Amino acid sequence: MSALTKLTLKAALEGLDTKAFSALELTQAHVEAVEAARPLNAYVLETPDKALDMARDSDARRAKGEAGPLDGAPLGIKDLFCTEGVRSTAGSRILGNFVPTYESTVTSHLWRDGAVMLGKLNMDEFAMGSSNESSAFGPVINPWRRAGSDTKLTPGGSSGGSAAAVAADLCLGATATDTGGSIRQPAAFTGTVGIKPTYGLCSRWGVVAFASSLDQAGPIAKTVEDAAILLKSMAGYDPKDSTSLNIATPDYPAFIGKSVKGLRIGIPREYRADGMPAEIDALWEQGVAWLKDAGCEIVEISLPHTKYALPAYYIIAPAEASSNLARYDGMRYGLRVDGANLTETYENTRAAGFGDEVKRRILIGTYVLSAGYYDAYYLRALKVRRRIAEDFEQAFGKVDAILTPTAPSAAFGLGENADDPVAMYLNDIFTVTVNLAGLPGMSLPAGLDAQGLPLGLQLIGRALDEGTLFSLGGALEKAANFKAAPGRWW
C-alpha cells in the first residue's frame, strides 16, 4: 500500500473516483507512512483515529454519489490553523495544550470538500523563522540530504513541517502560511510547489496571528495542479475576516495547460543580489529560456525599492507581532507561571512560554512602536511599503508576471545560521516584497544544485491573477520535468 502515498493529489482523487482503492485504504497507507517517518519530526500531533473515521465517512459519501472535490484526500494541517477539538499550539510552549472549540475557516472549507486530517504539522514558533529551528517541538528535518552526507538539513520555515511532509509523501498536500516567504522558501528547499495567494483570498479567521497585514494561508503540494486543486477549496469569502475579499473563487485547475504564448515576463534587475551563488543565477537563466521556448516575451524591469524591502519587513512584521502576541499572558488559556503579583505572573509566563526568536521579534516590535521611535521607524517603513507596491504597479503596466529565484541558496544544515539572525533573515530576500505588496507568489522546483538538493523558481503575479501563475507554473513544470525525490533514510 506504500505506493498509494507516492500518488499526486490529482491521481489519488482519480483513483478514488474509479474505485481503484478506498479512502480508508489511502488514509491507512498515509497513517503508516507518518508513523514510520517520526525521525523527520514533521508532525507535532498525529490524529490517526480521526483520520480513519473521516475516511470511512468519505467512503460512505462516495457510495451515495455525494463525494466532494477533495473527498478522501489525506492532508496535513500546519499547527497555526485552529482545529476544533484538536490541540493547536502554533509551535509554542505558551499555548500549552490549547484545544480550540472552533475551526479555522480554511480548514472548515477543506472538511466541507471531504478532505481527511492526518494531524498537525510542525512549524517555527508563531511562524517566526526561516528554518523551523524555533519550534518548541524541535526542528523538522528535511527528507533531502546532500550527496554523500548525512548532515541534517532544514526544510525551511516557517512551514517546514508542511513542506517536509509533502516531500516525504506523508500527506497528499498541506496547509501552510506565508508572512514573508514561509510557503515559498520551504517549497524551494524541499522540491515541492507552494503558492502564497493574494492577500485576502484565503480567510485568516482561526489562524493564529503573526503579522496581520502580511499573513496569508496557502497550500504546499507535489505539483502545480495539486496546488491549484487545494487553493480552489481553501479560498473563499469569509465575513468573519474583515480583510477577506468578497469575490468568486476561480476554477484554478482549469488554468493548467493554457497557452502562455505572448505573455510578457519581467526580470527585475535588482534581484541580482551581490554574492548570489552561480547555481541560482544559472537556474534563473534556465527559467528565462524555458519561458522563451514556451512563447513568452522577456522584459527587463526595475523594482528600485527592493533594497529597502527586508529592513521595512523586519520593522512592520515585528511591530504587528508585538501587538498580536500581547494576548498571551497566562490568564485565559495556555501556559501560566504564577508570580507574587499580576505583573510577575505576566513576566514569568511570557519568559517561560516564548522562545528566543519570538522574544527577539517582540522586543524589536515594541521598540519601533515606542514613543520617540514610531515616526522614525514604523511610519517610515509603511512609506517604503507603499513605494514597493508602486514599483510592482508600474512593472505590471509592462508585464504579465515576474520570474525570480525563490531563495538565495539550497537548504542549509540545521544550526548553520542559528547564531546569526541577520543571515537567517536574508533567506527572505526574494520573497518579502510579495507580502509587502499583497501579491500572489508561487515557488516550484526547477533543478538540483551540485550537492543534489532542490532549487526553486518564483513567479510573481498581479493581485488576484493566480490563474496566470498556474498557467506559467504548469509550463515551467513541464519544461523543468523535475522528477527527483529524496532517498528514504528515515
Side-chain angles (χ1 to χ4, degrees):
M1 298 297 280
S2 62
L4 293 180
T5 63
K6 299 201 176 299
L7 294 172
T8 64
L9 173 62
K10 173 81 181 302
L13 292 171
E14 287 173 349
L16 289 166
D17 281 341
T18 61
K19 297 186 170 49
F21 43 83
S22 67
L24 190 60
E25 290 170 327
L26 181 64
T27 301
Q28 183 65 48
H30 280 88
V31 166
E32 290 169 7
V34 169
E35 289 173 355
R38 286 177 185 154
L40 296 179
N41 201 28
Y43 283 84
V44 294
L45 182 69
E46 297 169 23
T47 56
D49 293 342
K50 186 177 182 68
L52 295 170
D53 285 344
M54 292 173 87
R56 289 184 192 98
D57 291 344
S58 175
D59 284 332
R61 283 192 299 273
R62 203 172 285 278
K64 287 190 241 171
E66 298 172 359
L70 289 174
D71 235 303
L75 304 179
I77 304 300
K78 184 177 181 178
D79 205 27
L80 203 65
F81 292 81
C82 289
T83 41
E84 185 178 359
V86 178
R87 190 190 73 187
S88 305
T89 71
S92 180
R93 289 185 196 88
I94 206 157
L95 272 165
N97 287 311
F98 174 60
V99 177
T101 56
Y102 51 89
E103 191 77 38
S104 82
T105 299
V106 165
T107 51
S108 68
H109 286 177
L110 296 173
W111 314 147
R112 171 202 68 198
D113 288 350
V116 168
M117 180 167 75
L118 291 166
K120 305 299 289 288
L121 292 161
N122 204 348
M123 55 176 283
D124 277 301
E125 184 179 7
F126 284 104
M128 298 181 194
S130 301
S131 67
N132 227 124
E133 289 172 282
S134 73
S135 170
F137 298 92
V140 179
I141 298 168
N142 195 328
W144 290 81
R145 288 190 158 177
R146 294 172 180 143
S149 168
D150 59 2
T151 300
K152 292 176 179 176
L153 304 178
T154 173
S158 64
S159 308
S162 302
V166 173
D169 296 324
L170 309 183
C171 55
L172 292 178
T175 66
T177 61
D178 192 311
T179 305
S182 285
I183 288 175
R184 291 158 289 154
Q185 183 244 22
F189 279 10
T190 57
T192 55
V193 176
I195 180 165
K196 182 210 90 73
T198 303
Y199 182 78
L201 195 70
C202 292
S203 171
R204 290 183 299 110
W205 195 85
V207 181
V208 178
F210 164 14
S212 301
S213 75
L214 299 163
D215 299 343
Q216 190 57 202
I220 291 180
K222 297 181 184 183
T223 68
V224 173
E225 187 168 16
D226 284 2
I229 293 168
L230 287 169
L231 184 59
K232 186 180 177 184
S233 285
M234 291 171 69
Y237 174 61
D238 179 10
K240 296 194 292 292
D241 176 2
S242 63
T243 61
S244 178
L245 300 172
N246 192 358
I247 56 167
T249 302
D251 181 12
Y252 295 121
F255 288 91
I256 312 287
K258 275 192 175 178
S259 172
V260 296
K261 192 172 183 182
L263 290 180
R264 293 165 64 86
I265 308 300
I267 307 297
R269 64 175 73 101
E270 290 81 6
Y271 279 50
R272 296 192 184 281
D274 290 342
M276 187 162 74
E279 290 173 321
I280 301 289
D281 198 43
L283 184 81
W284 196 5
E285 291 302 325
Q286 181 63 70
V288 168
W290 284 329
L291 289 177
K292 272 186 185 172
D293 289 345
C296 295
E297 183 184 343
I298 306 301
V299 181
E300 186 175 274
I301 58 169
S302 178
L303 299 170
H305 292 90
T306 292
K307 62 187 173 188
Y308 305 118
L310 269 180
Y313 173 83
Y314 279 104
I315 290 170
I316 295 168
E320 295 185 14
S322 74
S323 175
N324 277 328
L325 270 59
R327 70 191 69 168
Y328 302 103
D329 54 13
M331 293 298 112
R332 287 154 294 181
Y333 50 79
L335 181 73
R336 178 189 179 108
V337 182
D338 288 319
N341 52 46
L342 183 64
T343 300
E344 198 173 286
T345 299
Y346 286 161
E347 290 172 348
N348 292 349
T349 298
R350 291 168 70 82
F354 290 136
D356 289 346
E357 182 60 32
V358 172
K359 288 174 184 171
R360 183 182 292 122
R361 297 200 196 191
I362 289 173
L363 287 169
I364 293 169
T366 305
Y367 178 80
V368 300
L369 290 177
S370 60
Y373 296 103
Y374 183 88
D375 290 356
Y377 291 102
Y378 186 66
L379 281 187
R380 188 174 293 182
L382 292 183
K383 289 174 183 173
V384 170
R385 182 180 193 171
R386 181 65 242 159
R387 294 288 177 272
I388 288 168
E390 287 169 358
D391 287 350
F392 278 110
E393 285 164 17
Q394 289 184 8
F396 283 121
K398 304 172 193 167
V399 299
D400 299 292
I402 294 168
L403 179 72
T404 77
T406 307
S409 71
F412 49 88
L414 292 172
E416 282 181 13
N417 291 338
D419 296 329
D420 188 349
V422 174
M424 194 72 83
Y425 296 166
L426 287 171
N427 276 286
D428 301 331
I429 193 166
F430 299 127
T431 52
V432 295
T433 52
V434 177
N435 299 81
L436 290 167
L439 301 174
M442 175 193 289
S443 177
L444 65 155
L448 298 173
D449 75 353
Q451 296 176 308
L453 298 178
L455 299 171
L457 287 173
Q458 177 180 228
L459 289 162
I460 303 168
R462 292 187 183 93
L464 296 175
D465 194 18
E466 281 80 3
T468 295
L469 293 191
F470 282 121
S471 295
L472 287 164
L476 277 175
E477 184 177 60
K478 186 176 178 183
N481 194 29
F482 185 87
K483 300 292 185 193
R488 181 163 174 176
W489 52 265
W490 56 91

Coordinates of all heavy atoms in Angstrom, one line a residue, residues 78 80 126-129 157-159 176-184 196 204 207-217 313-314 316-318 320-321 361 385 428 431-436:
K78 N -0.9 22.6 9.1 CA 0.1 23.4 9.8 C -0.5 23.8 11.2 O -1.7 24.1 11.3 CB 0.4 24.7 9.0 CG 1.5 25.5 9.7 CD 1.9 26.7 8.8 CE 3.0 27.5 9.5 NZ 3.5 28.6 8.7
L80 N -0.6 26.2 12.9 CA -1.0 27.5 13.1 C -2.6 27.7 12.9 O -3.2 28.6 13.3 CB -0.3 28.5 12.1 CG -0.2 29.9 12.4 CD1 0.6 30.1 13.7 CD2 0.4 30.7 11.3
F126 N 5.1 30.5 16.3 CA 4.3 31.6 15.8 C 4.7 32.0 14.4 O 4.5 33.2 14.0 CB 4.4 32.8 16.8 CG 3.6 32.6 18.0 CD1 4.2 32.3 19.2 CD2 2.2 32.8 18.0 CE1 3.4 32.1 20.4 CE2 1.4 32.6 19.1 CZ 2.1 32.2 20.3
A127 N 5.2 31.1 13.6 CA 5.5 31.3 12.2 C 6.7 32.2 12.1 O 6.9 32.8 11.0 CB 4.3 31.8 11.4
M128 N 7.5 32.4 13.1 CA 8.7 33.3 13.1 C 9.9 32.5 12.8 O 10.5 32.0 13.8 CB 8.7 34.1 14.3 CG 7.5 35.0 14.6 SD 7.7 36.0 16.1 CE 6.0 36.5 16.3
G129 N 10.4 32.5 11.6 CA 11.6 31.8 11.3 C 11.7 31.3 9.9 O 10.7 31.2 9.2
G157 N 11.4 27.5 6.6 CA 10.4 27.8 7.6 C 9.6 29.0 7.1 O 9.9 29.6 6.0
S158 N 8.5 29.3 7.7 CA 8.1 28.6 9.0 C 7.3 27.3 8.7 O 7.1 26.5 9.6 CB 7.2 29.6 9.8 OG 6.0 29.9 9.1
S159 N 6.9 27.1 7.5 CA 6.0 26.0 7.2 C 6.9 24.7 6.8 O 6.6 24.0 5.9 CB 5.1 26.3 6.0 OG 4.4 27.4 6.2
A176 N -0.5 25.7 4.7 CA 0.7 26.5 5.2 C 0.4 27.9 5.3 O -0.7 28.3 4.9 CB 1.9 26.3 4.2
T177 N 1.3 28.8 5.8 CA 1.0 30.2 5.8 C 2.3 30.9 5.4 O 3.4 30.3 5.5 CB 0.6 30.7 7.2 OG1 1.6 30.4 8.1 CG2 -0.7 30.1 7.6
D178 N 2.2 32.1 4.9 CA 3.3 32.9 4.3 C 3.2 34.3 4.8 O 2.2 35.0 4.4 CB 3.3 32.8 2.8 CG 4.5 33.3 2.1 OD1 5.0 34.4 2.4 OD2 5.0 32.5 1.2
T179 N 4.1 34.8 5.6 CA 4.1 36.2 6.1 C 5.3 36.9 5.4 O 5.1 38.1 5.2 CB 4.3 36.2 7.6 OG1 3.2 35.4 8.2 CG2 4.2 37.6 8.2
G180 N 6.4 36.2 5.1 CA 7.5 36.9 4.4 C 8.2 35.9 3.4 O 9.3 36.2 3.0
G181 N 7.6 34.7 3.2 CA 8.2 33.7 2.4 C 8.0 32.3 2.9 O 8.6 31.3 2.5
S182 N 7.2 32.2 4.0 CA 7.1 30.9 4.7 C 6.3 29.8 4.0 O 6.3 28.7 4.6 CB 6.4 31.2 6.1 OG 7.3 31.8 6.9
I183 N 5.8 30.0 2.8 CA 5.3 28.9 2.0 C 6.4 28.6 0.9 O 6.7 27.5 0.6 CB 4.0 29.2 1.3 CG1 2.8 29.2 2.3 CG2 3.7 28.3 0.2 CD1 1.5 29.6 1.8
R184 N 6.8 29.7 0.3 CA 7.7 29.6 -0.9 C 9.1 29.1 -0.6 O 9.6 28.2 -1.3 CB 7.7 30.9 -1.7 CG 6.3 31.3 -2.3 CD 6.2 32.8 -2.5 NE 6.1 33.5 -1.3 CZ 6.4 34.8 -1.1 NH1 7.0 35.5 -2.1 NH2 6.2 35.4 0.0
K196 N 1.7 31.4 -2.3 CA 1.1 32.4 -1.4 C 0.1 33.2 -2.2 O 0.5 33.8 -3.2 CB 2.2 33.3 -0.9 CG 1.6 34.3 0.1 CD 2.3 35.7 0.1 CE 1.8 36.7 -0.9 NZ 0.5 37.3 -0.5
R204 N -8.2 34.6 7.2 CA -7.2 34.5 8.3 C -7.9 34.1 9.6 O -7.3 33.9 10.6 CB -6.5 35.8 8.5 CG -5.5 36.1 7.4 CD -4.7 37.4 7.7 NE -5.6 38.5 7.8 CZ -5.8 39.2 8.9 NH1 -5.3 38.8 10.0 NH2 -6.6 40.2 8.9
V207 N -6.7 31.4 12.2 CA -5.3 31.2 12.0 C -4.5 32.1 13.0 O -4.8 33.3 13.1 CB -4.8 31.5 10.6 CG1 -3.3 31.3 10.4 CG2 -5.6 30.8 9.5
V208 N -3.7 31.5 13.8 CA -3.0 32.2 14.9 C -2.2 33.3 14.2 O -1.4 33.1 13.3 CB -2.1 31.3 15.7 CG1 -1.4 32.1 16.8 CG2 -2.9 30.2 16.4
A209 N -2.4 34.6 14.7 CA -1.8 35.8 14.0 C -0.4 35.9 14.4 O 0.1 35.8 15.5 CB -2.6 37.0 14.4
F210 N 0.4 36.3 13.3 CA 1.8 36.8 13.5 C 1.8 38.2 13.1 O 1.8 39.1 14.0 CB 2.7 35.9 12.6 CG 4.1 36.5 12.3 CD1 4.6 37.5 13.1 CD2 4.9 35.9 11.3 CE1 5.9 38.0 12.8 CE2 6.2 36.4 11.1 CZ 6.7 37.4 11.8
A211 N 1.7 38.6 11.9 CA 1.7 40.0 11.4 C 0.4 40.1 10.5 O 0.5 39.7 9.3 CB 2.9 40.3 10.7
S212 N -0.6 40.7 11.0 CA -1.9 40.6 10.4 C -2.0 41.2 9.0 O -2.8 40.7 8.2 CB -3.0 41.2 11.3 OG -3.0 40.6 12.5
S213 N -1.2 42.2 8.7 CA -1.3 42.8 7.3 C -0.5 42.0 6.3 O -0.4 42.4 5.1 CB -0.9 44.2 7.4 OG 0.5 44.4 7.5
L214 N 0.3 41.0 6.8 CA 1.2 40.2 5.9 C 0.8 38.8 5.8 O 1.0 38.1 4.7 CB 2.6 40.3 6.4 CG 3.2 41.7 6.5 CD1 4.4 41.8 7.4 CD2 3.6 42.2 5.1
D215 N 0.2 38.2 6.8 CA -0.1 36.8 6.9 C -1.1 36.4 5.8 O -2.1 37.0 5.6 CB -0.8 36.4 8.2 CG 0.1 36.7 9.5 OD1 1.3 36.8 9.3 OD2 -0.5 36.7 10.6
Q216 N -0.8 35.2 5.1 CA -1.8 34.7 4.2 C -1.6 33.2 4.1 O -0.5 32.7 4.0 CB -1.6 35.3 2.8 CG -2.6 35.0 1.8 CD -4.1 35.3 2.2 OE1 -5.0 34.8 1.7 NE2 -4.2 36.3 3.2
A217 N -2.7 32.5 4.1 CA -2.7 31.0 4.0 C -2.6 30.6 2.6 O -3.1 31.3 1.7 CB -4.0 30.4 4.7
Y313 N 10.3 45.2 6.1 CA 9.6 44.0 6.6 C 10.0 43.7 8.1 O 9.1 43.4 8.9 CB 10.0 42.8 5.7 CG 9.4 41.5 6.3 CD1 8.1 41.1 6.0 CD2 10.2 40.6 7.1 CE1 7.6 39.9 6.5 CE2 9.6 39.4 7.6 CZ 8.3 39.1 7.3 OH 7.8 37.9 7.8
Y314 N 11.2 43.8 8.4 CA 11.7 43.5 9.8 C 11.4 44.6 10.7 O 11.9 44.5 11.9 CB 13.1 42.9 9.8 CG 13.1 41.5 9.4 CD1 13.5 41.0 8.1 CD2 12.6 40.5 10.3 CE1 13.5 39.7 7.8 CE2 12.6 39.2 9.9 CZ 13.0 38.8 8.7 OH 12.9 37.4 8.3
I316 N 8.0 46.2 10.2 CA 6.5 46.1 10.2 C 6.1 44.8 10.8 O 5.2 44.7 11.7 CB 6.0 46.2 8.7 CG1 6.2 47.6 8.2 CG2 4.5 45.8 8.7 CD1 6.0 47.7 6.7
A317 N 6.7 43.6 10.4 CA 6.3 42.3 11.0 C 6.4 42.2 12.5 O 5.5 41.8 13.2 CB 7.0 41.2 10.2
P318 N 7.6 42.6 13.0 CA 7.7 42.5 14.5 C 6.8 43.5 15.2 O 6.3 43.2 16.3 CB 9.2 42.9 14.7 CG 9.9 42.5 13.5 CD 8.9 42.9 12.4
E320 N 3.8 44.4 14.3 CA 2.5 43.7 14.4 C 2.5 42.5 15.3 O 1.5 42.3 16.0 CB 2.0 43.4 13.0 CG 1.8 44.6 12.1 CD 1.2 44.2 10.7 OE1 0.7 43.1 10.5 OE2 1.2 45.1 9.9
A321 N 3.6 41.8 15.3 CA 3.7 40.6 16.2 C 3.7 41.1 17.7 O 3.0 40.4 18.5 CB 5.0 39.9 15.9
R361 N 11.8 39.2 18.3 CA 10.9 40.0 17.5 C 9.9 40.8 18.3 O 9.6 42.0 17.8 CB 10.2 39.1 16.5 CG 11.1 38.3 15.6 CD 10.5 37.8 14.3 NE 11.3 36.8 13.6 CZ 11.1 36.4 12.4 NH1 10.1 36.8 11.7 NH2 11.9 35.5 11.9
R385 N 6.9 50.6 2.2 CA 6.0 49.5 1.8 C 5.1 50.1 0.6 O 4.9 49.3 -0.4 CB 5.1 49.1 2.9 CG 4.1 48.0 2.6 CD 3.3 47.6 3.8 NE 2.5 46.3 3.5 CZ 1.9 45.7 4.4 NH1 1.8 46.1 5.6 NH2 1.3 44.5 4.1
D428 N 14.9 35.5 3.2 CA 13.6 36.0 2.7 C 13.8 37.1 1.6 O 12.9 37.8 1.3 CB 12.8 36.6 3.8 CG 12.5 35.5 4.9 OD1 12.4 34.4 4.5 OD2 12.3 35.9 6.1
T431 N 11.5 37.0 -1.3 CA 10.1 36.7 -1.1 C 9.3 37.8 -0.4 O 8.1 38.0 -0.6 CB 9.9 35.4 -0.3 OG1 10.8 35.5 0.9 CG2 10.3 34.2 -1.1
V432 N 10.0 38.6 0.5 CA 9.2 39.5 1.3 C 8.5 40.6 0.5 O 7.5 41.1 1.0 CB 10.1 40.2 2.4 CG1 10.6 39.2 3.4 CG2 11.2 41.0 1.8
T433 N 9.1 41.0 -0.6 CA 8.4 42.1 -1.4 C 7.0 41.7 -1.7 O 6.1 42.6 -1.8 CB 9.2 42.4 -2.7 OG1 9.4 41.2 -3.4 CG2 10.5 43.1 -2.4
V434 N 6.8 40.4 -2.0 CA 5.4 40.0 -2.4 C 4.4 40.1 -1.3 O 3.3 40.6 -1.5 CB 5.5 38.5 -2.9 CG1 4.2 37.9 -3.3 CG2 6.5 38.4 -4.0
N435 N 4.8 39.9 -0.1 CA 4.0 40.1 1.1 C 3.7 41.5 1.3 O 2.6 41.9 1.6 CB 4.6 39.4 2.3 CG 4.8 37.9 2.2 OD1 5.7 37.5 1.6 ND2 3.8 37.1 2.7
L436 N 4.7 42.3 1.2 CA 4.6 43.8 1.5 C 3.6 44.4 0.5 O 2.8 45.3 0.8 CB 5.9 44.5 1.4 CG 6.9 44.2 2.5 CD1 8.3 44.7 2.2 CD2 6.4 44.8 3.8

